[in-house]
Amino acid sequence: AQSVTQLDSQVPVFEEAPVELRCNYSSSVSVYLFWYVQYPNQGLQLLLKYLSGSTLVKGINGFEAEFNKSQTSFHLRKPSVHISDTAEYFCAVSYGGATNKLIFGTGTLLAVQP
Amino acid sequence: DADVTQTPRNRITKTGKRIMLECSQTKGHDRMYWYRQDPGLGLRLIYYSFDVKDINKGEISDGYSVSRQAQAKFSLSLESAIPNQTALYFCATSDWGQGSGDTQYFGPGTRLTVL
C-alpha cells in the first residue's frame, strides 16, 4: 500500500539551531513529493515540492528538502530556525497518474524554544 | 482575497443535526477535495471531485455527502452529525494537468464540534 511515514511526532529545538524533519515514503517508480506547513489556527501552506529535476529543492522561509530515491526519503531541513517556525509540518506524496491523489503523513510538530 | 475560502470557520452543533460546510475557490482549478484533520492522524480524504460531473469517495466517506454546484463550489454535508465527526475540515483545490504534480492549495479550515 502507498504510504508516507513521518517518524517524529514532535521535534523540540532551540532557536538558531539547525533542524531536520524526516519523511519516508513507500517505493514507487515515480513520485511527486511535498512539504506543507500549518501554523497555529491556520490552513496548510505549501512549503516546497519536488516534481522532477534537481534533487535539492528550496522552498519558502529558508527551508529546503532533498529527494533521495534510493532511500525513499524527502527530509526537510533548515540551517537556523526561528521562533516563528513553530508549526506542524506535513509531508505528502503523489504516486503519479491522472487519477492519483495526495497521501499525507501524520505530521511533525516543530517546537522552537528561545 | 483568499483563493480558497471556507464557511463557516467555526461551528458547534448537536448530535443528529444536518450540517453543511461550504468551499469556494477563485483559482480556476477543476479538482477539489475535502479532508478532515484529527490530532495524530494527519489529513484524511473524505471526498474528491475532478470536475463538476465527477465525484468520488475518499478513504473515510461514511456519514458524509458532497455536492459540486459549479467549478468553483464544493460543499460537504453531514446528514446526521455525531460526536466523532468533531474535527478540523479542510477544502483544497489542485491544478493537475499543468505540470504541477497535483499540487494542492488549502482553505483556512472549518472547526466543527458535535456535542
Side-chain angles (χ1 to χ4, degrees):
Chain A
Q2 301 161 350
S3 64
V4 178
T5 302
Q6 292 182 249
L7 287 174
D8 304 308
S9 60
Q10 186 167 352
V11 173
V13 63
F14 288 107
E15 194 172 20
E16 299 184 4
V19 69
E20 178 179 83
L21 306 184
R22 297 181 293 169
C23 174
N24 288 88
Y25 60 94
S26 51
S27 182
S28 178
V29 175
S30 64
V31 292
Y32 302 123
L33 295 155
F34 306 82
W35 276 99
Y36 285 87
V37 58
Q38 184 181 26
Y39 297 105
N41 300 313
Q42 295 187 26
L44 276 74
Q45 178 182 359
L46 181 67
L47 201 56
L48 50 77
K49 61 183 176 183
Y50 170 80
L51 303 182
S52 65
S54 173
T55 57
L56 183 62
V57 180
K58 294 188 182 297
I60 61 172
N61 301 337
F63 284 92
E64 63 181 30
E66 186 160 17
F67 168 55
N68 188 320
K69 188 174 182 178
S70 63
Q71 297 186 2
T72 61
S73 68
F74 190 55
H75 300 332
L76 181 70
R77 303 185 182 99
K78 186 170 183 178
S80 175
V81 296
H82 302 286
I83 295 288
S84 59
D85 293 321
T86 294
E88 187 142 27
Y89 292 79
F90 292 94
C91 181
V93 62
S94 171
Y95 285 87
T99 59
N100 235 314
K101 303 170 293 298
L102 275 187
I103 299 171
F104 284 86
T106 52
T108 297
L109 176 62
L110 176 62
V112 181
Q113 305 165 19
Chain B
D1 289 339
D3 295 319
V4 184
T5 57
Q6 294 183 235
T7 56
R9 293 294 311 279
N10 290 281
R11 181 71 184 268
I12 299 174
T13 190
K14 295 182 179 180
T15 297
K17 294 291 187 181
R18 184 178 188 275
I19 296 296
M20 179 180 285
L21 308 183
E22 298 186 341
C23 176
S24 294
Q25 54 115 345
T26 59
K27 298 185 77 68
H29 292 165
D30 286 328
R31 298 187 169 192
M32 297 186 74
Y33 309 79
W34 275 104
Y35 293 91
R36 66 176 278 175
Q37 182 182 21
D38 299 277
L41 297 179
L43 276 76
R44 293 181 292 168
L45 184 63
I46 306 173
Y47 270 95
Y48 60 101
S49 171
F50 285 169
D51 64 43
V52 175
K53 296 181 179 179
D54 181 17
I55 293 178
N56 305 278
K57 293 182 178 180
E59 60 180 306
I60 55 163
S61 60
D62 287 348
Y64 301 94
S65 62
V66 291
S67 173
R68 186 81 184 266
Q69 301 94 325
Q71 185 202 38
K73 297 184 181 297
F74 193 36
S75 300
L76 175 72
S77 293
L78 286 67
E79 298 300 327
S80 180
I82 56 177
N84 75 0
Q85 291 177 313
T86 293
L88 189 54
Y89 290 83
F90 286 106
C91 174
T93 72
S94 72
D95 57 351
W96 180 268
Q98 299 176 21
S100 75
D102 200 28
T103 302
Q104 294 191 15
Y105 301 89
F106 286 80
T110 294
R111 187 169 296 280
L112 177 66
T113 303
V114 183
L115 302 176

